[in-house]
Amino acid sequence: MVAADDGTWSTDFPTLFVVPDWITRHCRLQSVGGLDDTPLPFEMYDWQLRITANLYRVRPEAELGQLSTAFHFRRAQAVAPQKSGKGPWAASIVAAEGVGPVLFNGWARGGERYRCTDYRCGCGWVYEYEPGEPMGRPWNKPLIQITATSEDQTDNTYRPLQEMIRNGPLSELMRVGEQFIRLPNDGRIDVVTSSAQSRLGNPITFASQDETGIWTDGNGMTKVATTQRRGLAGMSGRSLEQTNAWDPTENSVAQKTAETKVKDVYRFHRLPPKDLDYGKKADRRKIHAAVYQGSTHIDLDAIEGEASELLEKEPAEAERFHGNRITAGMGAWLQQDRWDARRALEDVPDGTRIVLGFDGSEVDDWTGIRAETLEGFQFTPLYGPDRRRCIWDPVEWDGQVPRLEVDAAVDELFDRYDVIRMYADPPYWTSEVAQWQARHGEKRVTEWHTSRPVQMHAACEQLLTDVVKADTVFRHDGCETTSIHVRNARKAARPANRYVLRKAAIHQKIDLAVCSILAHEAASDAIAAGLARPRKSSKMLILR
């Protein structure tokens, strides 16, 4: 599941608050559609201020002289809907990175001030630090790149940046050109696109990466992103991504950032309530109100007009652009938000009657086990002394699935729970399945071949229906890996209007989705066979 901001807004951490104050003083824009065209100070919306505060969050142990390592986050990602204000906000950050106080300059003891006159700016602005507050200073020689797939895309940031410079005191420090901006001490801000990458590889102090949801291997922008990050690392620089939600079938740079497990990347992605249907006008209005919250320039009626027209031909695109949801294009088996909406927190005590679904691999795909109670709660069970999840990625096991671990996990699950059925897809695991049948009984362990289109189609449809129907009792544990694998699954057409599942791309796994289908099929069959009824207690009759 994509990492998302939890919606809280707390400032109980040290950050360079001098930066947003500096931006309001120095960056000015004309209002859009107003009667007065006088440039006004750029004041951040709440969500923009939240990201900015986290981008410049300082580690409590930071020391004077540190550059990127003084900050809690090495880079940040902002996922927000179309026209919500990402471009002007990113432009203000670039302006600050060019000539503003964005570097850690020690801890204030009381009475210290940031004076613009100390850094060649004649506006007269002064910021007084509170005791214990982190202080800021500009880069000596800032080298910045504004990057996108095309010049039209870079204009989202570059045009408001040009306006901010021309409309205020920044014009004393920054010289605007068509393709670059000159900064003090031979610093510069360059525009880089997929067709003009000659400056890539140069050391840089900051990168603004626009619309990374469409940066892919196919258009060469994945390489651009990694090259820029190497350049940033060499200068202890940092970066900011801003993007719409993405199509998860494309494995974009935005998706990789959202799914990374590293701790020094801040991600903001305001998601709407999962139980709302974007196809319904009333729900769509609620979704727009949630994801555009705080962007006061937005007219929700205008957004509805654009969204409803786009829905006619590109429903997934409309939901991504305006609903801020990660939605796959045509051929998706089950939309991730519909699956995630069934998340529930439940405990499954030892001894509970359950079924298991197993899908195995050898060296490429993943191996996993999903369990389901006969009351409709599905979960990824834990095993072993370390309570590991029953998910085995070969990469984490020296390139090969650990068969002894899997075997031990199966035995433990049969010991801990009352496992009445286990459906196992046997390819690569025929010998192990036979051993499980011998140990636990052929009535309980069954080979279930997912390669059979008639049976697989029916099983896929059964789980799909039970997830999306209004009165469903189906729920699950919110396993993040399973959620991603569900999202990756695509329909592969078969004769007689049937389908089986395939991957959206070779690297996008679906194995835990298959485990979920098998577990649910086993549960449905067990219930149909009457195994959900309470067992009768046995009585002993003594004849005298």
Side-chain angles (χ1 to χ4, degrees):
M1 183 185 201
V2 57
D5 189 273
D6 62 6
T8 60
W9 177 214
S10 172
T11 57
D12 60 349
F13 53 80
T15 185
L16 295 181
F17 277 119
V18 65
V19 174
D21 279 17
W22 182 95
I23 286 172
T24 300
R25 178 63 180 83
H26 292 82
C27 299
R28 299 175 186 174
L29 285 175
Q30 291 177 322
S31 62
V32 178
L35 298 178
D36 186 356
D37 60 358
T38 302
L40 300 174
F42 179 77
E43 296 185 358
M44 295 185 188
Y45 294 139
D46 179 81
W47 64 269
Q48 295 169 334
L49 183 59
R50 181 184 307 179
I51 305 169
T52 304
N54 278 281
L55 179 61
Y56 294 103
R57 178 177 177 178
V58 177
R59 294 187 300 109
E61 64 275 18
E63 297 179 358
L64 185 64
Q66 291 179 321
L67 300 175
S68 63
T69 53
F71 295 98
H72 193 79
F73 296 107
R74 178 171 44 89
R75 59 191 183 96
Q77 178 190 64
V79 184
Q82 195 90 335
K83 308 303 181 185
S84 58
K86 298 188 296 294
W89 166 70
S92 76
I93 298 296
V94 170
E97 287 287 335
V99 293
V102 296
L103 293 179
F104 175 65
N105 197 33
W107 300 95
R109 296 181 179 180
E112 293 93 340
R113 292 176 174 85
Y114 178 90
R115 297 180 177 86
C116 277
T117 53
D118 294 338
Y119 300 99
R120 304 185 185 181
C121 177
C123 74
W125 183 71
V126 176
Y127 178 93
E128 184 170 351
Y129 295 104
E130 297 288 336
E133 182 179 357
M135 300 183 292
R137 67 172 178 86
W139 284 90
N140 293 326
K141 183 179 179 180
L143 300 169
I144 300 170
Q145 292 179 348
I146 296 173
T147 319
T149 56
S150 66
E151 288 189 16
D152 288 344
Q153 198 72 55
T154 59
D155 281 347
N156 291 337
T157 302
Y158 197 61
R159 283 186 178 179
L161 175 61
Q162 291 174 312
E163 186 180 337
M164 287 174 177
I165 295 170
R166 290 168 176 151
N167 287 338
L170 293 178
S171 58
E172 300 177 17
L173 301 171
M174 309 167 83
R175 298 289 181 265
V176 177
E178 288 301 316
Q179 294 296 322
F180 70 94
I181 295 170
R182 292 194 181 278
L183 302 175
N185 298 328
D186 293 325
R188 56 189 289 155
I189 300 172
D190 287 303
V191 174
V192 176
T193 67
S194 59
S195 59
Q197 301 180 15
S198 59
R199 295 185 182 92
L200 283 178
N202 294 339
I204 53 176
T205 61
F206 188 78
S208 171
Q209 300 175 328
D210 190 70
E211 209 52 61
T212 53
I214 57 174
W215 290 28
T216 64
D217 293 343
N219 58 25
M221 294 302 290
T222 299
K223 182 178 180 181
V224 169
T226 55
T227 302
Q228 281 190 326
R229 287 174 196 153
R230 286 198 300 271
L232 289 165
M235 296 289 286
S236 288
R238 300 192 300 149
S239 63
L240 171 66
E241 292 181 33
Q242 60 270 6
T243 186
N244 296 128
W246 51 89
D247 184 336
T249 67
E250 296 178 349
N251 197 34
S252 64
V253 168
Q255 179 176 340
K256 292 174 182 176
T257 296
E259 294 177 359
T260 183
K261 295 180 181 179
V262 300
K263 303 298 184 183
D264 61 349
V265 177
Y266 177 75
R267 287 150 303 184
F268 176 87
H269 187 172
R270 181 182 283 150
L271 293 166
K274 294 181 173 64
D275 59 344
L276 297 179
D277 185 348
Y278 199 76
K280 298 177 180 178
K281 185 174 182 179
D283 282 4
R284 191 161 60 247
R285 181 81 180 196
K286 295 177 182 177
I287 291 171
H288 292 161
V291 299
Y292 284 99
Q293 179 184 352
S295 296
T296 56
H297 68 283
I298 289 294
D299 182 340
L300 292 183
D301 290 330
I303 295 298
E304 168 60 25
E306 288 295 323
S308 59
E309 182 176 354
L310 189 56
L311 270 169
E312 294 180 359
K313 293 185 177 180
E314 297 289 346
E317 191 169 299
E319 193 164 2
R320 289 196 299 272
F321 282 4
H322 300 296
N324 215 32
R325 281 177 169 168
I326 302 166
T327 309
M330 299 300 291
W333 170 57
L334 173 58
Q335 295 294 353
Q336 187 180 22
D337 63 300
R338 303 298 295 273
W339 173 264
D340 289 345
R342 300 303 174 202
R343 180 177 179 268
L345 297 177
E346 298 184 23
D347 289 326
V348 183
D350 290 357
T352 300
R353 196 179 304 181
I354 65 169
V355 299
L356 302 175
F358 169 83
D359 185 40
S361 67
E362 176 65 14
V363 295
D364 183 21
D365 291 331
W366 294 16
T367 293
I369 300 173
R370 289 280 282 174
E372 186 170 329
T373 70
L374 300 189
E375 289 75 36
F377 179 70
Q378 190 175 105
F379 62 100
T380 301
L382 306 178
Y383 80 98
D386 297 328
R387 313 315 297 151
R388 298 179 61 98
R389 293 185 304 160
C390 290
I391 300 174
W392 297 274
D393 175 2
V395 173
E396 298 178 356
W397 298 89
D398 297 325
Q400 191 169 21
V401 173
R403 290 176 178 266
L404 293 179
E405 291 271 331
V406 177
D407 191 54
V410 170
D411 281 352
E412 180 178 332
L413 295 179
F414 271 87
D415 288 340
R416 286 179 55 203
Y417 300 102
D418 181 9
V419 180
I420 56 176
R421 290 203 177 182
M422 176 183 184
Y423 283 179
D425 192 21
Y428 306 109
W429 289 81
T430 304
S431 298
E432 285 80 3
V433 172
Q435 292 170 11
W436 299 336
Q437 288 176 328
R439 292 202 295 262
H440 305 294
E442 292 187 11
K443 289 185 178 181
R444 293 207 286 172
V445 180
T446 302
E447 288 190 358
W448 205 100
H449 292 263
T450 59
S451 58
R452 300 172 298 167
V454 175
Q455 291 81 358
M456 189 59 181
H457 170 86
C460 292
E461 284 291 287
Q462 180 68 54
L463 180 55
L464 175 63
T465 300
D466 287 343
V467 168
V468 303
K469 67 185 181 183
D471 57 348
T472 185
V473 297
F474 179 84
R475 63 252 184 243
H476 60 77
D477 61 342
C479 171
E480 188 171 322
T481 302
T482 302
S483 176
I484 292 173
H485 287 205
V486 166
R487 185 192 67 197
N488 291 342
R490 296 292 174 272
K491 297 177 182 178
R494 293 296 182 267
N497 202 30
R498 297 188 179 96
Y499 66 85
V500 295
L501 297 186
R502 63 171 178 84
K503 305 172 188 175
I506 189 64
H507 56 273
Q508 293 181 301
K509 308 304 180 183
I510 65 172
D511 307 283
L512 270 295
V514 175
C515 293
S516 291
I517 292 168
L518 293 179
H520 193 61
E521 184 73 1
S524 299
D525 289 349
I527 292 170
L531 298 180
R533 293 193 296 269
R535 291 176 175 171
K536 295 180 180 180
S537 59
S538 59
K539 295 182 180 180
M540 181 180 294
L541 296 179
I542 300 176
L543 299 179
R544 296 183 179 178

